[in-house]
Amino acid sequence: MKLPDFLLDPDLDRLRQKMGHIPLGHFVAVPGQALLSSADLANLSGEGIEVAPDEVEVLGDSTLSYRGRRVILYIRESHMPPRADTPFRASETLEKEPCRGEEENLPRFHVAHCRTLEIMRISGRRQRYVVATRDDGIFDLLLVGRPIRSRLRVCKNCLEKLDWKGFCAKRSPEERNREAQDFRIDAFFRSFGRTVTP
């Protein structure tokens, strides 16, 4: 069964014009950027996509974007071994939270262009980043060459840059630590949105 072309119906066309509807078929891409494929979108919401630092755009609100999507960013590969006084036992399936002290040895994820990322840029550390839209806080990492899946904490410098929930006013290290531990990626995306309008 073939459906009629509703764009040719004069009554519907008048109604669409009264509503101020933009003509169909005009899609705006971010200039100079390719649209994301369905496979890219699936990777962003899953394990993430490895990108070079210059592929990540810093938005006016200091959050980060990749090809029209607001993203979180982290470095997948860490060559820093765990501290000698902390046994490292991150699980590959993440049936549990990292043990106390363990996540202190893991990298942080970023939600804004903070001073940590700026220092890395200035110092010439051209590591590849992973961008993602995943909001469950679980990250695929390579720690000293060993693949693990673990939770990461948010970068406190990012929270400060965004003044997330009044973060800058929190004076004590305990208050800042508590806010970083309580940070939820899904709340971040609800607050800032997932897509970027050109």
Side-chain angles (χ1 to χ4, degrees):
M1 176 176 139
K2 185 176 177 184
L3 292 174
D5 186 347
F6 293 105
L7 295 176
L8 300 177
D9 184 295
D11 293 329
L12 289 176
D13 191 45
R14 275 192 298 281
L15 178 60
R16 187 171 48 249
Q17 287 175 5
K18 282 183 183 178
M19 293 171 58
H21 187 268
I22 297 170
L24 298 175
H26 291 84
F27 297 93
V28 180
V30 177
Q33 294 181 350
L35 293 174
L36 291 167
S37 68
S38 58
D40 290 335
L41 291 171
N43 286 335
L44 271 179
S45 65
E47 66 184 32
I49 298 175
E50 269 197 29
V51 297
D54 59 352
E55 292 179 82
V56 179
E57 181 184 357
V58 179
L59 300 173
D61 58 8
S62 296
T63 60
L64 308 168
S65 118
Y66 174 70
R67 292 168 53 186
R69 295 286 177 164
R70 190 167 275 105
V71 293
I72 56 175
L73 178 146
Y74 71 102
I75 297 171
R76 180 168 291 166
E77 192 165 353
S78 175
H79 298 288
M80 185 173 63
R83 293 188 331 232
D85 62 340
T86 306
F88 186 77
R89 299 189 315 263
S91 69
E92 295 200 21
T93 58
L94 196 73
E95 295 299 322
K96 61 170 185 66
E97 293 289 318
C99 62
R100 184 171 172 80
E102 178 178 290
E103 55 187 23
E104 290 302 319
N105 297 318
L106 298 175
R108 303 292 190 249
F109 68 87
H110 298 271
V111 294
H113 184 72
C114 66
R115 64 180 174 213
T116 303
L117 293 179
E118 187 60 21
I119 289 168
M120 289 175 66
R121 185 190 67 77
I122 291 169
S123 66
R125 291 172 60 190
R126 302 283 296 171
Q127 296 180 341
R128 289 190 65 81
Y129 296 131
V130 176
V131 291
T133 57
R134 180 178 192 152
D135 61 11
D136 61 5
I138 299 171
F139 297 86
D140 293 316
L141 305 165
L142 281 173
L143 187 63
V144 195
R146 191 173 112 213
I148 66 163
R149 179 172 282 176
S150 187
R151 291 194 185 278
L152 297 180
R153 289 187 184 170
V154 67
C155 168
K156 291 178 193 169
N157 290 332
C158 288
L159 297 183
E160 186 173 295
K161 179 75 176 186
L162 298 175
D163 194 20
W164 180 257
K165 296 185 178 181
F167 189 82
C168 294
K170 294 176 179 19
R171 299 279 188 250
S172 74
E174 293 79 20
E175 286 179 300
R176 287 174 168 246
N177 286 337
R178 189 170 36 258
E179 190 64 51
Q181 287 174 346
D182 292 344
F183 180 84
R184 297 291 172 257
I185 299 170
D186 58 343
F188 167 77
F189 282 127
R190 274 195 308 275
S191 179
F192 285 94
R194 291 182 182 269
T195 56
V196 178
T197 53

